[in-house]
Amino acid sequence: MAKHWSLPPTDALRADGLRIADLDTSGTPGFKGDKKAAAALQAERAEVLSGLQEKLYANGRSGDSRNVLLVLQGMDTAGKGGIVRHVIGSVDPQGVDHASFGVPTEEEKQHHYLWRIRKALPRGGQLGVFDRSHYEDVLVVRVHNLVPSEVWEPRYEEINAFEQELVDQGTILVKVAMFVSLDEQKQRLMERLERPDKYWKFNPADIDERAYWPAYQEAYQVMLDRTSTEFAPWHVIPADRKWFSRLAVTELLINALDRLKLDWPTAKFEVEEQKRRLEQA
Ligand code: AMP
Ligand code: MG
């Protein structure tokens, strides 16, 4: 078990049966350490993650089609960007395939909602990262009735079938839903307004979205209830403490990569022969 954890993070953060309304967003489920312990541990575990990701990349270069896809969902300011910068930022960018999903473009609107998702899927050996995802099509779309319920309702089952297909093809899905409190969001939005280096993250519409908080909570709850499957479970991350959410996602990724039981690819040449050739070259 990872140091300072009383439960494996995959168990402590499992969405199964969890009610978002009861979630303490400042909690650190399964983690016994404090912020200082987390900082030391983060550095240590980032090294482990980086080593595993290099192995995944090396295997991909040797034809292995397996990969890992991190799916990040959360309200604005939940810290999705921080995960990308601070967790994914600790691994070799060559092996990272990052995609973010915003309001669909005119072209995307002409297609099925999974069209842009399929196009962005990582290749073998890549660590894929989705900053928002196909789940927006049962979150923002449901909350704002962007399409009628007859259209979004079947999407839960369709998403499960889609993810089953990905898993069958050798993808490990790490689905992470990050939750901050309404107060914490207010503080983070205020910070964006107080710091010129954060203006770029601020969108006036984020304030309007706060009025829909209960509707989003409900949409997130239904999403967890209906799309947390055995083959692609959701993890719920209390995200008021950034140091915890980063450590938690690091551990979930390490766990996913460990499950691949990766080795370094074997040489496709005779090593001794190549050494002899090199000596004479
Ligand atoms: P951000 O992640 O802050 O860049 O914001 C992206 C915005 O795009 C968010 O407000 C999302 O709700 C919105 N968005 C993402 N996917 C969809 C979608 N399928 N339909 C409508 N809005 C979406
Ligand atoms: Mg935003």
Side-chain angles (χ1 to χ4, degrees), residues 12-156:
L13 303 167
R14 270 267 177 150
D16 302 5
L18 184 134
R19 309 319 298 165
I20 299 169
D22 302 335
L23 184 73
D24 172 8
T25 55
S26 65
T28 63
F31 186 68
K32 292 176 298 181
D34 56 8
K35 184 176 181 174
K36 195 158 161 250
L41 192 55
Q42 182 69 50
E44 206 179 289
R45 300 303 280 169
E47 285 292 314
V48 173
L49 176 61
S50 176
L52 285 165
Q53 182 263 348
E54 189 185 356
K55 259 187 197 164
L56 176 67
Y57 181 67
N59 279 280
R61 290 290 301 259
S62 304
D64 194 331
S65 62
R66 293 175 302 166
N67 54 23
V68 171
L69 175 57
L70 174 66
V71 173
L72 295 171
Q73 281 296 157
M75 302 291 287
D76 264 294
T77 76
K80 303 184 293 296
I83 296 293
V84 174
R85 183 196 278 236
H86 297 282
V87 177
I88 304 303
S90 66
V91 310
D92 184 346
Q94 286 185 95
V96 173
D97 192 356
H98 171 271
S100 56
F101 298 96
V103 177
T105 62
E106 280 310 314
E107 190 191 17
E108 286 168 352
K109 279 183 199 155
Q110 306 301 310
H111 293 86
H112 187 270
Y113 69 99
L114 292 176
W115 179 75
R116 64 176 182 166
I117 305 294
R118 288 185 185 277
K119 275 207 311 176
L121 290 171
R123 283 166 289 128
Q126 296 279 311
L127 171 55
V129 184
F130 281 1
D131 180 342
R132 303 187 190 270
S133 66
H134 41 297
Y135 285 102
E136 290 292 324
D137 291 280
V138 289
L139 291 169
V140 65
V141 168
R142 174 183 170 132
V143 167
H144 290 289
N145 297 305
L146 300 181
V147 298
S149 61
E150 305 86 79
V151 177
W152 56 251
E153 175 62 35
R155 287 181 177 171
Y156 298 96

Side-chain angles (χ1 to χ4, degrees), residues 53 57 84 95 99-101 109 124 126 131 153 155 159 173 181-182 187 197 203 208 239 246 248 251 254:
Q53 182 263 348
Y57 181 67
V84 174
S100 56
F101 298 96
K109 279 183 199 155
Q126 296 279 311
D131 180 342
E153 175 62 35
R155 287 181 177 171
I159 287 172
L173 280 158
S181 68
L182 193 56
Q187 283 178 39
D197 64 325
N203 177 354
D208 303 312
R246 292 170 191 173
E251 293 299 345
I254 288 174

